[in-house]
Amino acid sequence: MSQLDLRELNSTEFPIPDEMQGNVAITSLSKIYNWSRRSSMWPLLFGLACCAIEMIATAASRYDLSRFGMEVMRASPRQSDLMIVSGTVTKKMVVPIVRLYNQMPEPKYVLAMGACASGGGPFKEGYNVVSGIDQYLPVDVYVPGCPPTPQALLFGLIALQKKIDGQSLANLDDVPWYGVGPSEPTPIPILGPDIIDPRQMDLIRRQAELAAAGKPYGIREIPAPVQKQEAPQVEAKTKAASEGSEDEAKAERMRKREEALARKKARQGS
Amino acid sequence: MTDYPIVEATDIPAAITALKQHYPDAVKEDTRQGYSGVVVDRKRLVEIAKFIRDDLGFDYLSSATAVDYYGIADEMEMVYHAYRTAGGPALVFKAQTPRDNPEIPSLVEIWPGADFQEREAWDLYGIRFPGHPNLKRILLWEGFHGHPMRKDWHEAYYEQDHKPFDSRWPAGHVRRAEELNVYGKNVRYPADIDLSKLSDRSEEALYSDLGLGVSIQELEGDASLKTDRLVVNMGPHHPSTHGVFRMIITLNGETIESLEPVMGYLHRNHEKIGERNTFLHNMPFTDRLDYISSMSNNLGYALAVEQLLAKGARYQPPTYRAEVIRVLMVELTRIVNHYWAIGFLLNDLGAFFTPALYAIAEREKILDFFEATAGSRMMCNYMRFGGVFKDIPERIRSVANLVNDRVRDFNTMEYLTELINERIPRSIDELDEFLTESEIVKSRSIGVGYLPPEMAIAYSAAGPLLRASGVPYDVRRAEPYSIYPELDFDIAVRTHGDIYDRYLIRLDEMRESVRILKQILPRLERTRGEPIFAGSKQHTPRVPLGEAYGRVENPKGELGFYIVSAGDEKGPQNPWRYHVRAPSFINLTALGQMCIGHKVADVVAILGSIDIVLGETDR
C-alpha cells in the first residue's frame, strides 16, 4: 500500500475505502457544530414573571421540552447557552440580567418571551419598566403572546434551532465567538436617579448641559401627528418635510464622508 | 345543605361612637360623599390605634395604604382597614397630612404587619413615618428621583392623566413613546443630574446597616471560639426564590441571625397604570397580579367596583348563574394554585421537579377548561362588573392540543363532572399518599418556620399561612361574598404553624374546594340558559363617587382592592386611587421572624411554604 498523502484528505474527491463505507460520514464543520449546538441547547433556569409559568408548563410532561434536547435548565449562567427572558424586564432587574448575560459563555442566544420582554407589553408606560430587553441585549428570537402558550414557545425554540442551522463558521458576523478572543461584555446599566445605560453617557451629558442652560431637554421635537381631515394640506406638508429631510440626510452623508477622509489623511500622516 | 349564619355587621357604628366618646377632639366621622369610617388626628394616631386594637377588638390590620388628594384637597391620607379575627366588616380609619411635608406616625409597634406597607407608602408617596424602625425604599432603589405614585409625578412616557389618550382615540394616531424620548428609552433624568458623582447607591444602602466586618462575636459559653458574621445574598436570580425575589441573610456560623427581604425586581407599576386606566381596563391587569390564579384576582376587583357601583341608582347585582360560574372558576383556581404551591414546595425541599411534574399534570386539564371558556390558559380576563363575559361553552374543543392527530372534543358538563368527581380527588390522594408520610418531607418540615397565632395576626398574615397557625380566618366565612353563604364547606385549620402544617392545610383546602365544586355542578345544570350578566353591557360603567374595599379569599390569602372614585359621572372614568392589598407582599413581613435560628436550606423551604408570587408581591 502506497504512503497516504494527508493533503489528499482535504479533497472531496478522496475515495473512502470499502471497509469504512458504512462508518464514515462526510459533512462540513459548520454542520457538525450547528448540529451539536442546536441539539443540546441548555436554557438558563431563570423566570421573571407570568411567562415563566408557561415556560415551566412547556418543560413539564405535556409539552415536554426534552424532545428538543432543552430540558437541562441550568441555574448557573456558566453552564447555559440560551437565556429565555420570560417576563417583564424592570429597571431594577435589568442590571442582574445584563450581568447574567455577560457571565454566559459563548456561543449564547437570547429569546425574548412574551410581549413584555419584546417591547414592554401592557406595562410599557410604567416608570420602572424597560421597553424590551433588546434595548440592552441582542435578541435572536421574539415570541409574541401574553403569555405565549407553550406551543408558541416551542415554535420560537424551533425557530432558534433553524437559525442555528443556518449559521456558517465562514461568516464571523454569524458566529462572532469564533473570532479572536471573547466578545466585549455588555456594559452594565447603573441605577442612578433613573436607569442609566453607560453607552448613552455622552447623550445624557449633552442633555444635562441643555438643562443647565435652561433649554428644553429630554424630549425629541417631532411634528404633531397628521390629522385625517386635513388630508390635502398635509400631503403638501409631508412632501416638503420629506424633501427637507432628504436634503439633511444628503448633507449628513457628505459631512461623514469628509470626516472619514480627514481621518484617513491623519492616519497616513502619522 | 346547611345555611350558615352570616356574621352580622358587628356594630361598626357602635365602635365609631365609642371612638368618638373616648377621643372627642381627635376623631371625626368621614362625611365625604361615598366614604365611610373615621378620620383621626394624626398626632394621636398611635394611641387611638392601640385603643382600636385592644379595647374595640379590631386586632387584624388588613391594609394600610396612602392616597394622594392632589388637586382635590391638597392632602395625603393613610387609610387603614382593621378587622376582627372573629369576623365581620372593617373599621376604616384615616389620618391626613399636608402634601408639602407629609408625616404620619408609624403603626409598626401596634401592628408589625404595617411594616412593609408603610415602607411602600414612603417609597411611592414620600410620606415619612416617625417611629418606623427601617424606613427605606422597598420597591424602587435608593437614589430614585421622586416618589412616583404622587399625582404630580410624571414618568418618561407620560401622555395624559387618563385613558383613552386623545392621541389614540377617536383620531387613532399611534406614535411609539420611544420616538418622543431623546434616549429612545423609558427614562427621564432630573435637570440637575450630576454625572461626575454617579454611582450605584442601591447596593450600598442594602448592606450599610448590617455592620459587616466590624464585630467579631463570641459564641455563648465558649470564649475560645470566635466567629464572624457572614452575609449571604440570595437572589434575585436564584432557582428557589419563586421568581425574582431577593434575600439578604446574616449568618452566625450556619445559623440565621437576620433576614431582610429585598423586592421590587418585578415592580411594574400596576397601581400607577391602574389609576390611568378606565375601570374596565384594569380587569386584564389584575390577571397579571397573581398570575397563577387570575380568575380569583378578577373576582376581587369585580367585587370592589361592584361595591362602588351599588351606591348608584341603576345598579343591578350579578345574576345567580354568574355567581355560580364565578365560584366554579375561583375554586378551580384555588386547586390549580395549591397544586403549584405543593409541587414547588417539594422542589424547595430538594425533590427536584418530580413531585412538581406530578402536581401540575392535572392543572393542564383545568387550564383547558379555562381556555375553552375565557380564551386563554392563564390570563383569563373573565369577570365583569355584574357577571362574567361569556357563558361556559357547550363543548370543549381543543384544536391546538391534538391527541393522536385527533381534535379532542368533549361535552363540557361531562368533562367537568369527570374532572371534579374523579380526576382531581384522585390526584390529591396521590399527592397525599406519596408526600404526607414521607420521612424526608417530615424531617425537613415539622417544627421548621414556626409562626405562633398571635404573631400571625400581628403580622397581618393571611390565607393558608394564617390558618396553619390555628387562626380560623377565611374571608369566605368572615365576610361572605358571592354565593358562599349557601355552600357547605369547612374552613381548614391546622394548629402547629410550621411548614408541614402549611403543606397539609393546602391539601385540606383542595379537598374543601372539591366539596364546593360538587355542590356547584348541580347548580350549573339547574341554571343552564339563564343570563350571565345583569344589566346592559357597558364599555365604561359610570362609577359613583366614593371609596370601596373589596376583598376575596385568594388561594394565597386575602386579596383586597381599595378603590377611590373621584370623577363625576360625566368626566373621565378612571379610579383616583387603585390599591392592591397583595397577600404575597404582606405575608412576607413575617418571613424574617420565621427564619431566625434556622439554616439557609430552611429559608428556601419556609419561603416555599408561604407561597408567594412576585407579580403580586411587587405589583
Coordinates of all heavy atoms in Angstrom, one line a residue, chain B residues 580-619:
Chain B
V580 N -53.8 47.7 45.6 CA -53.9 46.2 45.7 C -53.3 45.8 47.0 O -52.1 46.0 47.3 CB -53.3 45.5 44.6 CG1 -53.5 44.0 44.7 CG2 -53.7 46.0 43.2
R581 N -54.1 45.2 47.9 CA -53.6 44.6 49.1 C -53.2 43.2 48.7 O -54.0 42.3 48.6 CB -54.7 44.6 50.2 CG -54.3 44.2 51.5 CD -54.7 42.8 51.9 NE -54.4 42.5 53.2 CZ -53.7 41.4 53.6 NH1 -53.2 40.5 52.7 NH2 -53.4 41.2 54.9
A582 N -51.9 43.0 48.5 CA -51.4 41.8 48.0 C -51.0 40.8 49.1 O -50.2 41.2 49.9 CB -50.2 42.1 47.1
P583 N -51.6 39.7 49.2 CA -51.3 38.7 50.2 C -49.8 38.3 50.2 O -49.2 38.2 51.2 CB -52.2 37.6 50.0 CG -52.8 37.7 48.7 CD -52.8 39.2 48.4
S584 N -49.3 38.1 49.0 CA -47.9 37.7 48.9 C -47.0 38.7 49.5 O -45.9 38.4 50.1 CB -47.5 37.5 47.4 OG -48.2 36.5 46.8
F585 N -47.3 39.9 49.3 CA -46.4 41.0 49.8 C -46.5 41.1 51.3 O -45.4 41.1 52.0 CB -46.9 42.3 49.2 CG -46.2 43.6 49.6 CD1 -44.9 43.8 49.3 CD2 -46.9 44.6 50.3 CE1 -44.3 44.9 49.7 CE2 -46.3 45.7 50.7 CZ -44.9 45.9 50.4
I586 N -47.7 41.1 51.9 CA -47.8 41.3 53.3 C -47.4 40.0 54.1 O -46.8 40.1 55.2 CB -49.2 41.8 53.6 CG1 -49.4 43.2 53.0 CG2 -49.4 41.9 55.1 CD1 -50.8 43.7 52.9
N587 N -47.6 38.8 53.5 CA -47.2 37.6 54.2 C -45.7 37.6 54.3 O -45.2 36.9 55.2 CB -47.6 36.4 53.4 CG -49.1 36.1 53.5 OD1 -49.8 36.7 54.3 ND2 -49.6 35.1 52.8
L588 N -45.0 38.3 53.5 CA -43.5 38.2 53.6 C -43.0 39.0 54.8 O -41.9 38.9 55.2 CB -42.9 38.8 52.3 CG -42.8 37.9 51.1 CD1 -42.3 38.7 49.9 CD2 -41.9 36.7 51.4
T589 N -43.9 39.9 55.4 CA -43.4 40.6 56.5 C -43.0 39.7 57.7 O -42.0 40.1 58.4 CB -44.6 41.5 57.1 OG1 -45.4 42.0 56.0 CG2 -44.1 42.7 57.9
A590 N -43.6 38.6 57.8 CA -43.2 37.7 58.9 C -42.0 36.8 58.5 O -41.6 36.0 59.4 CB -44.4 36.8 59.3
L591 N -41.6 36.8 57.3 CA -40.6 35.8 56.8 C -39.3 35.9 57.7 O -38.8 34.9 58.1 CB -40.2 36.1 55.3 CG -39.1 35.2 54.8 CD1 -39.5 33.8 54.7 CD2 -38.7 35.7 53.4
G592 N -38.8 37.2 57.9 CA -37.6 37.4 58.7 C -37.7 36.7 60.1 O -36.8 36.0 60.5
Q593 N -38.9 36.9 60.7 CA -39.1 36.4 62.0 C -39.1 34.9 62.0 O -38.5 34.2 62.9 CB -40.4 36.9 62.6 CG -40.4 38.3 63.1 CD -39.3 38.6 64.2 OE1 -39.3 37.8 65.1 NE2 -38.6 39.6 64.0
M594 N -39.7 34.3 61.0 CA -39.8 32.8 60.9 C -38.5 32.2 60.7 O -38.3 31.0 61.1 CB -40.8 32.4 59.8 CG -42.2 32.6 60.1 SD -43.2 31.7 58.9 CE -43.4 33.0 57.7
C595 N -37.6 32.9 60.1 CA -36.3 32.2 59.7 C -35.2 32.3 60.7 O -34.2 31.6 60.7 CB -35.8 32.9 58.4 SG -36.8 32.5 57.0
I596 N -35.4 33.2 61.7 CA -34.3 33.4 62.7 C -34.1 32.0 63.4 O -35.0 31.4 63.9 CB -34.7 34.5 63.7 CG1 -34.6 35.8 62.9 CG2 -33.7 34.5 64.9 CD1 -35.1 37.0 63.7
G597 N -32.8 31.7 63.5 CA -32.4 30.4 64.2 C -32.4 29.2 63.3 O -31.9 28.2 63.8
H598 N -32.8 29.3 62.1 CA -32.8 28.2 61.2 C -31.5 28.3 60.3 O -30.7 29.2 60.4 CB -34.0 28.1 60.4 CG -35.2 27.7 61.2 ND1 -35.4 26.5 61.8 CD2 -36.4 28.4 61.4 CE1 -36.5 26.4 62.4 NE2 -37.1 27.6 62.2
K599 N -31.4 27.3 59.4 CA -30.3 27.3 58.5 C -30.7 27.8 57.1 O -31.9 27.9 56.8 CB -29.8 25.8 58.3 CG -29.5 25.1 59.7 CD -28.1 25.5 60.2 CE -27.7 24.7 61.4 NZ -28.3 25.2 62.6
V600 N -29.7 28.0 56.3 CA -30.0 28.6 55.0 C -31.0 27.7 54.2 O -31.9 28.2 53.5 CB -28.7 28.9 54.2 CG1 -29.1 29.4 52.8 CG2 -27.9 29.9 54.9
A601 N -30.7 26.4 54.2 CA -31.5 25.5 53.5 C -33.0 25.6 53.9 O -33.9 25.3 53.1 CB -31.0 24.1 53.6
D602 N -33.2 25.9 55.2 CA -34.6 26.0 55.7 C -35.3 27.3 55.1 O -36.5 27.3 54.9 CB -34.6 26.1 57.2 CG -34.1 24.8 57.8 OD1 -34.3 23.7 57.2 OD2 -33.4 24.8 58.8
V603 N -34.5 28.3 54.9 CA -35.1 29.5 54.4 C -35.9 29.3 53.1 O -37.0 29.7 52.9 CB -34.0 30.6 54.1 CG1 -34.6 31.8 53.3 CG2 -33.4 31.0 55.4
V604 N -35.2 28.5 52.2 CA -35.9 28.1 50.9 C -37.2 27.5 51.2 O -38.2 27.8 50.5 CB -34.9 27.3 50.1 CG1 -35.6 26.8 48.9 CG2 -33.6 28.0 49.8
A605 N -37.2 26.5 52.1 CA -38.4 25.8 52.4 C -39.5 26.7 53.0 O -40.7 26.6 52.7 CB -38.1 24.6 53.3
I606 N -39.1 27.5 53.9 CA -40.0 28.4 54.6 C -40.6 29.4 53.6 O -41.9 29.6 53.5 CB -39.3 29.2 55.7 CG1 -38.9 28.3 56.8 CG2 -40.3 30.3 56.3 CD1 -38.0 28.9 57.9
L607 N -39.8 29.9 52.7 CA -40.3 30.8 51.6 C -41.3 30.0 50.8 O -42.4 30.5 50.4 CB -39.2 31.3 50.8 CG -39.6 32.3 49.7 CD1 -40.0 33.6 50.4 CD2 -38.4 32.6 48.8
G608 N -41.0 28.8 50.4 CA -41.9 28.0 49.6 C -43.2 27.7 50.3 O -44.2 27.7 49.6
S609 N -43.1 27.6 51.6 CA -44.4 27.3 52.3 C -45.3 28.5 52.4 O -46.5 28.4 52.6 CB -44.1 26.7 53.7 OG -43.7 27.8 54.6
I610 N -44.7 29.7 52.3 CA -45.6 30.9 52.3 C -46.3 31.0 51.0 O -47.4 31.4 50.9 CB -44.7 32.2 52.5 CG1 -44.0 32.2 53.9 CG2 -45.6 33.4 52.5 CD1 -43.2 33.4 54.1
D611 N -45.6 30.5 49.9 CA -46.2 30.5 48.6 C -46.4 32.0 48.1 O -47.5 32.5 48.2 CB -47.5 29.7 48.6 CG -48.1 29.6 47.2 OD1 -47.4 29.8 46.3 OD2 -49.4 29.4 47.1
I612 N -45.4 32.5 47.6 CA -45.5 33.9 47.0 C -45.5 33.9 45.5 O -45.0 32.9 44.9 CB -44.4 34.8 47.5 CG1 -43.0 34.3 47.1 CG2 -44.5 35.0 49.0 CD1 -41.9 35.3 47.2
V613 N -46.0 34.9 45.0 CA -45.9 35.1 43.5 C -45.4 36.6 43.4 O -46.0 37.5 44.0 CB -47.2 34.9 42.8 CG1 -47.4 35.8 41.6 CG2 -47.3 33.5 42.3
L614 N -44.4 36.7 42.6 CA -43.7 38.0 42.6 C -44.5 39.1 41.9 O -44.4 40.3 42.2 CB -42.3 37.9 42.0 CG -41.2 37.7 42.9 CD1 -41.0 38.9 43.8 CD2 -41.4 36.5 43.8
G615 N -45.4 38.7 40.9 CA -46.2 39.6 40.2 C -47.1 40.4 41.2 O -47.4 41.5 41.0
E616 N -47.5 39.7 42.3 CA -48.3 40.3 43.3 C -47.5 41.0 44.4 O -47.9 42.0 44.9 CB -49.2 39.1 43.9 CG -50.3 39.6 44.7 CD -51.1 38.4 45.2 OE1 -50.5 37.6 46.0 OE2 -52.2 38.2 44.8
T617 N -46.4 40.4 44.7 CA -45.6 41.0 45.7 C -45.1 42.4 45.3 O -45.2 43.3 46.1 CB -44.3 40.1 46.0 OG1 -44.8 38.8 46.3 CG2 -43.5 40.6 47.1
D618 N -44.6 42.5 44.1 CA -44.0 43.7 43.7 C -45.0 44.6 42.9 O -44.9 45.8 42.8 CB -42.8 43.5 42.7 CG -41.7 42.8 43.5 OD1 -41.7 42.8 44.7 OD2 -40.8 42.2 42.8
R619 N -46.0 44.0 42.4 CA -47.1 44.7 41.6 C -46.5 45.5 40.5 O -46.3 46.7 40.6 CB -48.0 45.5 42.5 CG -49.0 44.6 43.2 CD -49.5 45.2 44.4 NE -48.4 45.1 45.4 CZ -48.2 46.0 46.3 NH1 -49.0 47.1 46.4 NH2 -47.3 45.9 47.2

